[in-house]
Amino acid sequence: MIMVTLKLALKNILGAGLRTWLNVIILSIAFVAIIFTQGFIEGMGNAIVNDMQEMLYGGGQYWHEKYDPQNPLTIDGSHGELAPKMKNMINNDKMVPILIRSGSIYVNGNSQVIQIKGIKPEQNVIELPSEHLNTESEYIPAILGSRMADKVNLKENDQATIRWRDKDGTFDAADIEVVHIMHTSVQAIDNGQIWISISKLRSMMELGDEATLTILPQGIEAPNIVASQWLYKSPDVLLQDIQNMLKTKTAGSMFMYIVLLAMGLLAIFDTQVLAIFRRKKEIGTLIALGMTRRQTILLFTIEGALHGVLGLIVGAVYGIPAFAWIANKGIKLPDMMDQFGFALSARLYPSFGLKLLLMTTLLVLGSVTIVSFLPTRRIARLEPTEALQGRGK
Amino acid sequence: MAIIETVGIAKRYPMGKRKFTALRDIDLKIEKGEFTGIVGPSGSGKTTLLNIIGALDHPSEGSATVLGKKVESLSHKDAARLRNQRLGFIFQTYNLLPVYTVYENVELPLLLLKMNKEKRRELVETALKRVGILDKIDSKPAQLSGGERQRVSVARAMVKEPDLVLADEPTANLDVANSHNILNMMLELNRELETTFLFATHDEKVMRYLRRQITLTDGRITEDIEKEPEPVSPEEV
């Protein structure tokens, strides 16, 4: 009976012509827009997480117990001697130490508070281009992020003066040369900071084998460091704030597609209500020909649900090539996207995964079916004798 | 054996705070193969009686047995089964489904009977041939004249070769020529297939064809006569 009902329903909605196709087009737009929006956000999330891990978080970090990235005033006191196991790992390129100190940079008579970060130039743990720090220079070779370089108006090969206080609190200063400007989506290694060799920074600060934090490569299990002053931070912990922000962005974007889907559903609901009102005689005829009320309700519900199916098919016809093209070419983001609050690459590649496609398909079909069913309950209250004459409540 | 038997049927409808009595004390027996009409002026209860016999409505009082089934005690599902398997309906306004072709309209009762495709095609073509409209098989109802639409409606009622065809004012929307053509055709089908026809009508043309005429006045049977049909041949028309 389902096949017969399906066949009749398909004939009915195709026979309704323009009315059907208007609903189908609205639903297909909602379907494509939901997938695009969610794919965009998912792609953005993947890119952010990926970039943050590749450039900063690696496979997790060990923080000095006093290190609090949210409190710059504690930076100078939050470093300590590395544990023997850590030193061993650093020598085997299984860990990279980072020393962070505060200071100031002077460019063209202006000064700005900065963080001076020291890293091993030969490291391969994160993708920060630290190898440039080995460049021969009569000044201290330094790497800046493009945002920082723009802010202090420095280009490659320019010099500037930095000032710091050593471990005893004595002010000192030296000149740096910008040997490389890195273009990175990760603002946490760019804004307000310069990168120099860790050995140079240690000597400037008169510190021994000390660091503020160390980074593990991705895919390596965190070793058990028996040293109370070093606290392990897993990638999940490090990315937690970002994941929370992504969830907020996802929730915000849901509003848009709920509106879009609601438009489509409203059109279906309206069509169903109108169809039951206008097709009472047809309902009466079907009942007279031997359809039960349940079968008639099923027929009208399937008719409504088929709008959803056609919407998916039409959406797939233009959506799949569009998604494939976008996923391949990416979307160029405007510069102002930096203000979005995330580390974003210049080009974003949306992620249209199978889960997203299936979930959206189920959401569209499920909601369309429910909305299609609700008005059909009136059929159960319709008297066939009145329906045959096009009357009835 | 009677295929329709009603005993003391009454039908009342609520009308504001009062009840309107559409039928009262209807005792009726109709045998297989009859070509019978329930006649009377508008509002006399013809359609109400036809609807009860067609298991589309329940009597308020009394009992109606149609093809061995007590209408008043049938569930929705059983009533639908009875209509689907053994009854055919012809309506004044044809009630064809506008988005279906002639073929699909006539095929519909067979689809509900879950008949296979080959059998359906065979029966639909036979029915359309009988009513002389096979050449319009792929047309939509909107492309047909009133007479042609009613032929399709007759074909739809007859396609499953039901035991009983209920026709409510089948000629009311037709011109004289088409009315006689349709009635001749129904009479032919009655003779050929021994299908019982029960009409509700106040059309004089229909009355000429009836072998039995039951007159309803204000919801009561006031006359029940048997007579010789006086069909008008197409040539005479």
Side-chain angles (χ1 to χ4, degrees):
Chain A
M1 197 61 211
I2 286 281
M3 286 312 291
V4 171
T5 315
L6 200 65
K7 195 177 163 189
L8 296 178
L10 192 62
K11 268 181 203 167
N12 286 343
I13 68 160
L14 293 179
L18 189 63
R19 195 154 23 106
T20 295
W21 292 112
L22 279 174
N23 289 335
V24 165
I25 287 166
I26 291 174
L27 273 177
S28 80
I29 291 170
F31 176 60
V32 168
I34 291 169
I35 290 176
F36 177 77
T37 314
Q38 287 304 99
F40 185 88
I41 290 170
E42 213 168 296
M44 190 170 76
N46 290 346
I48 292 166
V49 168
N50 201 36
D51 286 358
M52 293 296 273
Q53 283 202 274
E54 281 179 355
M55 300 295 279
L56 184 60
Y57 294 148
Q61 295 181 342
Y62 283 91
W63 288 7
H64 185 265
E65 60 182 347
K66 290 182 181 165
Y67 176 54
D68 177 4
Q70 308 299 327
N71 185 358
L73 297 175
T74 63
I75 290 290
D76 286 345
S78 56
H79 51 81
E81 188 77 25
L82 292 161
K85 200 169 187 177
M86 294 167 104
K87 286 182 188 171
N88 191 31
M89 289 181 77
I90 290 164
N91 290 335
N92 291 324
D93 211 17
K94 295 279 168 53
M95 186 181 267
V96 60
I98 307 284
L99 178 62
I100 307 173
R101 299 285 294 188
S102 53
S104 311
I105 188 166
Y106 291 85
V107 185
N108 300 327
N110 298 316
S111 89
Q112 190 192 322
V113 175
I114 56 167
Q115 284 187 353
I116 307 167
K117 289 187 172 177
I119 188 169
K120 194 175 162 189
E122 299 80 15
Q123 65 84 27
N124 289 308
V125 172
I126 55 173
E127 289 187 10
L128 193 133
S130 53
E131 68 277 8
H132 292 281
L133 298 175
N134 279 334
T135 308
E136 288 291 323
S137 171
E138 56 183 298
Y139 308 106
I140 301 169
I143 297 171
L144 271 68
S146 54
R147 294 175 190 83
M148 176 67 180
D150 281 347
K151 198 169 181 183
V152 293
N153 200 20
L154 283 173
K155 298 185 291 299
E156 275 182 19
N157 303 321
D158 283 354
Q159 286 94 43
T161 302
I162 57 168
R163 194 181 72 152
W164 68 91
R165 292 170 88 161
D166 67 17
K167 69 170 183 176
D168 300 319
T170 309
F171 280 104
D172 204 347
D175 286 339
I176 59 156
E177 179 182 349
V178 180
V179 292
H180 181 69
I181 291 175
M182 59 180 170
H183 294 273
T184 173
S185 61
V186 183
Q187 296 182 37
I189 59 167
D190 183 339
N191 279 338
Q193 52 200 281
I194 66 166
W195 291 82
I196 64 173
S197 160
I198 191 168
S199 55
K200 182 67 189 169
L201 185 59
R202 280 169 178 163
S203 72
M204 284 156 58
M205 303 296 160
E206 296 179 11
L207 293 169
D209 253 359
E210 294 195 19
T212 306
L213 58 94
T214 65
I215 306 171
L216 286 164
Q218 287 189 63
I220 282 191
E221 205 174 317
N224 185 21
I225 307 289
V226 190
S228 59
Q229 63 178 348
W230 294 102
L231 306 172
Y232 176 65
K233 305 283 176 185
S234 70
D236 288 343
V237 170
L238 295 167
L239 289 164
Q240 198 168 32
D241 287 348
I242 287 170
Q243 299 287 18
N244 289 341
M245 277 176 80
L246 279 170
K247 276 183 192 160
T248 313
K249 298 280 181 199
T250 307
S253 70
M254 275 173 75
F255 175 77
M256 193 192 90
Y257 74 72
I258 284 172
V259 169
L260 267 167
L261 189 59
M263 276 168 61
L265 295 180
L266 199 66
I268 301 287
F269 187 82
D270 189 46
T271 303
Q272 287 290 86
V273 170
L274 203 67
I276 289 161
F277 180 76
R278 287 172 53 171
R279 291 166 61 191
K280 277 181 194 153
K281 199 181 247 187
E282 186 180 325
I283 293 168
T285 307
L286 290 170
I287 291 173
L289 291 179
M291 261 198 177
T292 60
R293 284 191 170 120
R294 250 173 107 172
Q295 285 168 343
T296 317
I297 288 172
L298 183 68
L299 173 68
F300 276 75
T301 305
I302 290 178
E303 276 186 31
L306 278 178
H307 285 99
V309 175
L310 289 179
L312 296 182
I313 293 169
V314 170
V317 166
Y318 67 86
I320 288 175
F323 292 150
W325 187 80
I326 292 168
N328 185 34
K329 298 278 179 191
I331 299 166
K332 190 181 180 323
L333 298 178
D335 293 341
M336 61 169 282
M337 287 301 283
D338 260 8
Q339 295 160 19
F340 201 57
F342 290 142
L344 287 171
S345 313
R347 194 163 275 277
L348 195 135
Y349 295 87
S351 169
F352 305 114
L354 191 64
K355 187 182 163 197
L356 172 65
L357 293 174
L358 284 177
M359 292 301 284
T360 313
T361 303
L362 285 177
L363 174 76
V364 171
L365 284 183
S367 52
V368 167
T369 306
I370 291 167
V371 160
S372 303
F373 167 72
L374 292 176
T376 63
R377 291 174 305 165
R378 295 179 70 180
I379 293 172
R381 299 195 296 268
L382 213 54
E383 285 298 328
T385 51
E386 291 196 322
L388 273 169
Q389 295 169 46
R391 296 200 309 251
K393 289 175 189 169
Chain B
M1 184 194 158
I3 63 167
I4 302 170
E5 184 168 3
T6 69
V7 181
I9 280 186
K11 180 72 187 178
R12 293 184 200 91
Y13 295 108
M15 258 185 132
K17 285 180 182 172
R18 293 182 180 179
K19 285 202 167 176
F20 167 74
T21 304
L23 292 174
R24 61 189 91 195
D25 301 328
I26 303 292
D27 295 325
L28 190 66
K29 261 189 186 179
I30 292 173
E31 304 292 329
K32 181 173 167 55
E34 281 194 24
F35 202 78
T36 300
I38 301 164
V39 304
S42 295
S44 57
K46 307 183 292 292
T47 300
T48 305
L49 182 56
L50 214 64
N51 284 338
I52 290 171
I53 291 168
L56 289 166
D57 206 352
H58 286 134
S60 308
E61 262 176 41
S63 171
T65 308
V66 178
L67 297 160
K69 309 274 180 193
K70 282 201 177 298
V71 170
E72 63 276 11
S73 53
L74 287 178
S75 64
H76 283 306
K77 200 173 170 182
D78 290 337
R81 192 177 295 133
L82 173 68
R83 290 192 295 269
N84 182 216
Q85 292 175 349
R86 306 189 69 182
L87 303 183
F89 287 87
I90 299 168
F91 305 100
Q92 177 182 343
T93 49
Y94 327 125
N95 291 34
L96 300 176
L97 305 183
V99 298
Y100 295 4
T101 61
V102 165
Y103 178 87
E104 289 163 346
N105 264 289
V106 179
E107 185 194 28
L108 190 55
L110 306 180
L111 275 173
L112 299 177
L113 283 169
K114 297 171 193 164
M115 216 171 258
N116 69 53
K117 198 175 177 182
E118 290 73 30
K119 185 75 181 162
R120 290 202 307 264
R121 177 154 280 279
E122 185 193 324
L123 289 175
V124 171
E125 286 180 355
T126 306
L128 290 174
K129 206 180 281 177
R130 273 194 191 124
V131 299
I133 201 162
L134 190 58
D135 56 324
K136 304 277 184 183
I137 194 163
D138 294 320
S139 304
K140 292 271 176 77
Q143 298 167 305
L144 304 176
S145 68
E148 288 171 330
R149 286 183 209 181
Q150 196 58 300
R151 281 167 187 265
V152 178
S153 176
V154 173
R156 184 178 63 185
M158 295 299 299
V159 68
K160 59 193 173 190
E161 298 188 2
D163 298 289
L164 171 65
V165 171
L166 302 169
D168 191 5
E169 304 282 10
T171 55
N173 285 353
L174 299 179
D175 57 28
V176 177
N178 271 313
S179 296
H180 286 294
N181 285 337
I182 291 282
L183 288 163
N184 272 313
M185 196 178 70
M186 288 180 180
L187 201 57
E188 186 63 34
L189 290 167
N190 167 257
R191 281 184 195 132
E192 194 184 325
L193 304 170
E194 287 185 56
T195 308
T196 310
F197 278 79
L198 181 62
F199 295 86
T201 185
H202 61 276
D203 185 346
E204 297 282 341
K205 296 189 290 293
V206 179
M207 292 178 204
R208 293 186 62 152
Y209 288 75
L210 301 175
R211 287 197 212 102
R212 182 179 169 195
Q213 188 170 307
I214 301 162
T215 308
L216 274 185
T217 311
D218 292 335
R220 283 180 203 276
I221 296 176
T222 51
E223 192 179 51
D224 186 348
I225 54 164
E226 293 198 6
K227 62 186 192 67
E228 275 304 306
E230 305 162 54
V232 180
S233 68
E235 292 76 28
E236 283 177 89
V237 174

